[in-house]
């Protein structure tokens, strides 16, 4: 150790012999140490507390208090096990040595002192003491980091299937380590929905040597803790039969993230969603519109005229209370399904309405506006609000969420300028042009079936467990002689309005049954889903139409899956129940389409004979980033499977969402990742040679 470093090290010499102290001072000073002296054991204790030496040389035999007792008290008072204490003794028998170590001595030197040996022992003791102090500090720092980060260590002995956990486990999770002594016990304490994923991850790390890194929920009584488990297999010697890693309690972090997400997406004054959440909801709804959807999406905005005057008359808190009442009245008027409400500006609210047609959507929006014309009471004040509103429609006006909201705001401002309460975001010229186009399209639509311009494409559905194509959804297309292929969103609503849906719908059923029979004869038992429109479903002859088409084609009813929506069944519950029972008894399958965005009533889900539920893509598109969507998909999956239903997730376009969906237990998946809508010959080739994407 360099001299410059030694001069800062302090040595306490405790000896009642002045000659020995003088000699020790001389030798140690020449080595560069600072020397402090004490004449007896009691003075040595006091000097140690005052000077905080780096090393103590302690004589054994002293008046008042011997070295053994003084050493023991110094250890007790200073609480520093890394402080070197070297005993100076004339006795070299084992009993004296044992007494020195029992008192807390680090080392001993016999008298007469060998000075060369003394300097080496002192240097060694100081170096060892410094290392011990650094180790202790490192452990304290490590413990602090682990405590703050919620970290601990674990090991899995593969040979004996035993799990070892660091002492942090119980404080962090509430579960004692002995309760998680092996893999079976760990799985038992894991949330049922996470068990398969955790077991697969551990087995994969064990069998392939891949790194383990996953989150799961540990059950601690009535509480759940979110743990992240990281680990990897050893590579050398006995370590190759061990998995080593760390665990981290993420419960508080995940709860904080959920709170941050909520605050980032909601308005504090009203509790409604804010603009960011509303645009996301509109975007999801637009994305969730099936290519052959026959619904309409309305986005409307409501501006409270001259709201600043209420800040002046009611004060800021009173005006905030009024905004809260407006938000609550809109929320109450929205009902449980089909409408979303948000506050998108200081005195501006937005509404999203999902309906079967434009008239129904506009009617619901007008109903909300009428509720705001009724008086509000804030304290002793009765307040009547003036407002202006506008709305835009999809499909029709624009094709993205932000533009749809902007068009609605433009219409609202136009309504305010012209003195109207509410306007649609289209000029008269635009309306006339749209009407002319619709009339021409309607005229051609009447001839399309006769000219055989309709055709079906089939989008495949993959069964996770079997790893094969299990079925397909039949999707109608129209090849117009001059316009090319017309999107279903443009002509399916016209089929409904003109009543042509009965003839075209019957053709779709016949074609799907014919294709199912052809595949069945070719050795492919592929289930085909056929969408039923509202007019079809409510017609009295639907069962006969479907049954006749199936018999004529020679198809097995079990290969025909009739897809209905929740809102469709709600229009006439009694009729729906009787009709679905009739189809079920005939051997047809029933699928509940767009599950989660309609009524989703447990009562009707139990009442209707449903075989399949299809989770709407609105919940699938954000499943990798939105924890709420993951929870909803998991809940719907558990609900469906507990009722004996097959669960299919729609709109899966990438592998990562597919992995999430498989992890939560969904049975089948449909989307562009598996295959786009394709002609029957392409789907047959895909089904015969299908290999799951890795």
């Amino acid at each position: 150790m360099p001299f410059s470093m030694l001069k800062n090290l302090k040595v306490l010499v405790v000896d009642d012999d002045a000659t020995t102290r003088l000699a020790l001072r001389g030798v140690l000073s020449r080595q560069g140490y600072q020397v402090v002296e004490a004449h007896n054991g009691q003075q040595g204790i006091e000097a140690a507390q005052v000077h905080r030496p780096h090393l103590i040389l302690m004589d054994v035999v002293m008046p008042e208090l011997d070295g053994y007792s003084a050493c023991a008290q110094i250890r007790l008072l200073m609480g520093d096990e890394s402080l070197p204490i070297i005993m100076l003794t004339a006795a070299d028998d084992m009993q004296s040595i044992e007494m020195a170590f029992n008192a807390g001595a680090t080392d001993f030197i016999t008298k007469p002192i060998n000075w060369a040996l003394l300097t080496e022992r002192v240097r060694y003791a100081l170096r060892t003491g410094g290392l011990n102090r650094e180790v202790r500090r490192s452990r304290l720092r490590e413990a602090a980091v682990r405590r703050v980060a919620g970290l601990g260590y674990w090991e899995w002995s593969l040979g004996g299937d035993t799990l070892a956990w660091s002492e942090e486990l119980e404080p962090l999770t509430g579960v004692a380590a002995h309760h998680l002594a092996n893999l079976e016990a760990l799985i038992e304490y894991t949330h049922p929905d996470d068990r398969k994923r955790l077991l697969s991850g551990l087995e994969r790390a064990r069998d392939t040597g891949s790194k383990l890194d996953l989150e799961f929920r540990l059950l601690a009584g009535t509480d759940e803790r979110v743990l992240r488990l990281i680990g990897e297999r050893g590579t050398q010697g006995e370590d190759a039969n061990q998995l080593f890693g760390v665990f981290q309690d993420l419960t508080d972090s995940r709860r904080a993230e959920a709170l941050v997400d909520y605050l980032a997406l909601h308005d504090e004054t009203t509790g409604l969603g804010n603009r960011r959440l509303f645009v996301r909801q509109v975007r999801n709804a637009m994305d969730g519109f099936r290519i052959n959807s026959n619904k309409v999406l309305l986005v409307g905005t409501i501006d409270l005229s001259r709201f600043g005057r209420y800040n002046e008359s009611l004060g800021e808190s009173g005006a905030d209370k009024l905004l809260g009442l407006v938000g609550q009245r809109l929320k109450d008027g929205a009902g449980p399904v089909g409408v979303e409400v948000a506050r998108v500006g200081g005195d501006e609210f937005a509404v999203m309405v999902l309906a079967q047609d434009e008239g129904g959507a506009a009617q619901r929006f007008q109903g909300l506006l009428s509720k705001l014309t009724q008086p509000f009471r804030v304290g002793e004040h009765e307040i009547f609000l003036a407002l202006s509103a506008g709305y835009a429609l999809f499909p029709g006006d624009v094709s993205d969420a932000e533009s749809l909201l902007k068009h609605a705001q433009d219409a609202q401002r136009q309504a305010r300028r012209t003195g109207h309460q509410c306007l649609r975001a289209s000029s008269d010229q635009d309306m006339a042009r749209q009407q002319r186009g619709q009339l021409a399209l309607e005229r051609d639509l009447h001839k399309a079936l006769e000219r055989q311009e309709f055709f079906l494409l089939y989008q495949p559905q993959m069964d996770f467990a079997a790893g094969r194509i299990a079925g397909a959804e039949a999707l109608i297309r129209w090849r117009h002689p001059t316009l090319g292929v017309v999107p279903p969103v443009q002509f399916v609503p016209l089929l409904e309005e003109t009543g042509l849906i009965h003839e075209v719908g019957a053709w779709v059923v016949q074609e799907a049954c014919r294709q199912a029979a052809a595949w069945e004869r070719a050795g492919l038992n592929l289930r085909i889903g056929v969408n039923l429109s509202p007019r079809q479903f409510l017609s009295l002859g639907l069962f006969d139409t479907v049954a006749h088409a199936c018999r004529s084609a020679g198809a097995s009813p079990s290969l025909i899956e009739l897809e209905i929506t929740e809102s469709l069944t709600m229009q006439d519950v009694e009729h729906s129940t009787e009709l679905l029972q009739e189809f079920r008894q005939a051997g047809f399958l029933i699928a509940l389409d767009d599950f989660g965005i309609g009524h989703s009533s447990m009562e009707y889900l139990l009442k209707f004979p449903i075989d399949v539920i299809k989770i709407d893509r609105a919940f699938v598109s954000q499943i990798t980033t939105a924890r709420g969507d993951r929870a909803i998909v998991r809940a719907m999956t558990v609900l469906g499977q507990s009722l004996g239903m097959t669960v299919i997730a729609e709109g899966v376009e990438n592998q990562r969402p597919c992995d999430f969906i498989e992890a939560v237990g969904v049975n089948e998946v449909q989307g562009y990742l598996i295959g786009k809508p394709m002609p029957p010959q392409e789907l047959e080739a895909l089904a015969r040679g299908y290999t799951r994407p890795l």
Side-chain angles (χ1 to χ4, degrees):
M1 187 177 292
F3 183 85
S4 59
M5 295 179 63
L6 295 179
K7 67 181 181 179
N8 294 319
L9 298 180
K10 191 178 297 183
V11 177
L12 171 62
V13 175
V14 185
D15 198 310
D16 63 327
D17 181 62
T19 302
T20 302
R21 293 198 308 274
L22 181 62
L24 287 169
R25 174 183 285 276
V27 171
L28 296 172
S29 297
R30 283 195 298 274
Q31 296 293 322
Y33 301 113
Q34 296 181 40
V35 179
V36 178
E37 298 179 25
H39 300 172
N40 55 52
Q42 187 60 45
Q43 288 186 7
I45 294 171
E46 296 169 358
Q49 293 177 282
V50 172
H51 296 285
R52 314 294 295 185
H54 296 90
L55 180 142
I56 298 175
L57 291 172
M58 178 84 70
D59 188 23
V60 170
V61 181
M62 292 181 292
E64 295 189 29
L65 193 67
D66 62 38
Y68 299 133
S69 300
C71 178
Q73 289 194 38
I74 288 174
R75 286 283 186 226
L76 181 64
L77 292 171
M78 299 191 67
D80 185 0
E81 294 181 358
S82 62
L83 172 65
I85 301 178
I86 300 176
M87 305 299 290
L88 305 175
T89 176
D92 59 357
D93 59 279
M94 290 302 300
Q95 183 178 0
S96 299
I97 295 171
E98 185 176 353
M99 290 177 63
F101 285 129
N102 288 340
T106 308
D107 202 352
F108 72 96
I109 294 178
T110 58
K111 292 182 178 181
I113 298 172
N114 181 327
W115 300 105
L117 179 62
L118 173 71
T119 57
E120 290 302 317
R121 291 275 183 88
V122 167
R123 182 178 289 109
Y124 174 79
L126 286 168
R127 184 169 62 248
T128 302
L131 290 173
N132 288 339
R133 277 191 294 273
E134 185 56 35
V135 168
R136 183 185 65 201
R137 290 169 184 162
S138 295
R139 287 176 178 172
L140 290 173
R141 287 192 290 266
E142 177 186 310
V145 169
R146 287 159 60 184
R147 184 171 58 254
V148 172
L151 286 170
Y153 298 98
W154 68 282
E155 295 179 12
W156 183 20
S157 177
L158 304 180
D161 185 26
T162 58
L163 288 167
W165 306 85
S166 64
E167 61 186 12
E168 290 85 6
L169 179 68
E170 187 168 3
L172 289 176
T173 68
V175 179
H178 67 269
H179 289 309
L180 306 179
N182 53 48
L183 183 57
E184 182 181 356
L186 175 61
I187 297 301
E188 185 179 345
Y189 270 83
T190 300
H191 192 285
D193 291 345
D194 299 342
R195 288 173 181 170
K196 182 179 178 181
R197 183 165 49 85
L198 175 60
L199 184 60
S200 297
L202 287 166
E203 290 177 343
R204 188 163 51 248
R206 178 193 65 193
D207 298 338
T208 68
S210 60
K211 186 176 180 180
L212 173 73
D213 187 351
L214 54 79
E215 293 181 22
F216 67 101
R217 288 165 292 175
L218 191 71
L219 302 177
T222 58
D223 193 17
E224 287 182 5
R225 307 300 297 179
V226 179
L227 287 191
R228 182 185 183 190
L229 206 63
I230 302 174
E232 56 187 345
R233 193 165 180 170
T235 57
Q236 298 180 4
E238 295 182 357
D239 291 350
N241 204 34
Q242 298 275 122
L243 232 68
F244 302 90
V246 298
F247 63 87
Q248 184 178 19
D249 178 25
L250 298 178
T251 308
D252 292 340
S253 298
R254 292 292 176 260
R255 288 173 180 168
E257 288 172 6
L259 178 59
V260 170
D261 287 345
Y262 179 85
L263 294 176
L265 296 172
H266 288 79
D267 171 55
E268 183 179 356
T269 302
T270 63
L272 298 176
N274 59 18
R275 183 189 180 96
R276 180 182 172 193
L277 177 59
F278 184 76
V279 170
R280 177 189 296 181
Q281 290 170 330
V282 174
R283 185 181 298 117
N284 288 344
M286 295 171 75
D287 291 344
F289 263 53
R290 304 168 52 81
I291 296 177
N292 62 341
S293 175
N294 57 359
K295 296 178 182 177
V296 168
L297 180 69
L298 178 150
V299 169
T301 58
I302 304 168
D303 182 76
L304 307 181
S305 303
R306 296 189 297 160
F307 190 81
R309 59 182 176 171
Y310 297 115
N311 276 311
E312 299 172 0
S313 60
L314 302 175
E316 185 176 346
S317 62
D320 284 347
K321 185 175 181 181
L322 178 57
L323 287 172
L325 293 173
V326 172
Q328 187 61 49
R329 189 172 292 182
L330 286 172
K331 187 176 180 180
D332 292 343
V337 292
V339 179
E340 297 291 345
V341 182
R343 183 187 178 199
V344 295
D347 52 11
E348 186 178 13
F349 294 82
V351 176
M352 180 182 75
V353 180
L354 187 65
Q356 296 297 324
D357 51 44
E358 178 182 345
Q363 185 176 4
R364 293 200 69 177
F365 185 49
Q366 288 289 349
L368 289 174
L369 297 180
S370 66
K371 290 183 179 299
L372 298 185
T373 61
Q374 300 171 18
F376 293 84
R377 180 166 291 280
V378 179
E380 298 179 353
H381 301 276
E382 188 177 51
I383 297 170
F384 290 85
L385 292 178
L387 56 88
S388 57
Y391 68 91
L393 296 172
F394 175 83
D397 293 338
V398 290
S399 59
D400 66 275
E402 284 284 1
S403 297
L404 199 61
L405 179 59
K406 182 178 182 301
H407 272 56
Q409 291 173 319
D410 290 342
Q412 174 269 313
R413 285 189 283 269
Q414 178 68 14
R416 183 175 57 196
R417 286 193 297 267
T418 58
H420 292 83
Q421 186 189 61
C422 182
L423 288 178
R424 179 185 166 179
S426 295
S427 66
D428 292 340
Q429 186 178 7
D430 291 336
M431 289 287 288
R433 185 167 54 249
Q434 290 173 8
Q435 288 172 356
R436 287 194 299 270
Q438 289 290 90
L439 288 173
L441 205 62
E442 181 179 332
R443 182 184 64 246
D444 293 338
L445 197 57
H446 278 84
K447 304 173 184 178
L449 188 60
E450 178 184 346
R451 294 173 176 175
Q452 298 183 347
E453 293 171 356
F454 293 115
F455 63 101
L456 295 183
L457 296 180
Y458 299 88
Q459 186 167 31
Q461 298 162 338
M462 188 266 287
D463 185 313
F464 280 119
R468 66 177 182 87
I469 302 301
E473 181 178 3
L475 303 172
I476 189 171
R477 296 293 186 269
W478 178 19
R479 188 177 286 108
H480 191 278
T482 58
L483 300 176
V485 177
V486 180
V489 292
Q490 293 185 21
F491 70 86
V492 171
L494 282 177
L495 291 175
E496 285 276 347
E497 293 171 13
T498 59
L500 291 171
I501 193 65
H502 297 293
E503 296 176 87
V504 176
W507 175 86
V508 170
V509 172
Q510 293 169 7
E511 182 63 14
C513 289
R514 186 198 63 76
Q515 188 59 64
W519 279 335
E520 188 177 16
R521 288 192 296 270
L524 276 179
N525 292 327
L526 294 179
R527 180 188 68 237
I528 296 182
V530 180
N531 291 281
L532 298 178
S533 74
R535 279 206 175 190
Q536 274 182 289
F537 189 77
L538 296 175
S539 65
L540 297 178
L542 178 63
F543 177 81
D544 292 335
T545 299
V546 175
H548 176 73
C550 191
R551 285 194 304 270
S552 299
S556 299
S558 60
L559 296 180
I560 304 301
E561 182 181 277
L562 304 173
E563 296 189 10
I564 58 175
T565 62
E566 297 174 90
S567 55
L568 187 154
T569 58
M570 295 301 115
Q571 296 182 36
D572 189 339
V573 174
E574 185 175 351
H575 167 75
S576 299
T577 305
E578 292 175 358
L579 181 58
L580 295 179
Q581 290 286 4
E582 193 173 12
F583 276 123
R584 167 69 74 80
Q585 291 169 7
F588 294 94
L589 299 176
I590 307 298
L592 194 59
D593 201 7
D594 297 341
F595 186 69
I597 64 171
H599 291 75
S600 300
S601 168
M602 174 69 77
E603 175 186 354
Y604 295 119
L605 197 59
L606 293 170
K607 190 173 184 178
F608 294 143
I610 305 298
D611 302 292
V612 178
I613 59 174
K614 301 185 73 175
I615 298 176
D616 188 78
R617 65 181 298 163
F619 301 105
V620 173
S621 60
Q622 303 291 327
I623 195 170
T624 60
T625 55
R627 298 177 65 233
D629 285 357
R630 289 200 294 275
I632 290 171
V633 171
R634 182 183 292 112
M636 289 191 289
T637 301
V638 171
L639 173 63
Q641 293 178 346
S642 66
L643 296 175
M645 302 171 187
T646 297
V647 181
I648 302 177
E650 299 182 285
V652 179
E653 298 181 356
N654 301 296
Q655 186 61 46
R656 184 166 165 76
C658 187
D659 292 338
F660 273 79
I661 289 164
E662 184 176 12
V664 301
V666 172
N667 301 106
E668 297 181 19
V669 65
Q670 175 181 340
Y672 274 47
L673 177 67
I674 309 304
K676 64 181 181 180
M678 60 187 71
Q681 61 272 21
E682 289 185 22
L683 190 134
E684 181 175 347
L686 175 69
R688 292 190 185 281
Y690 184 76
T691 302
R692 276 196 64 178
L694 300 178

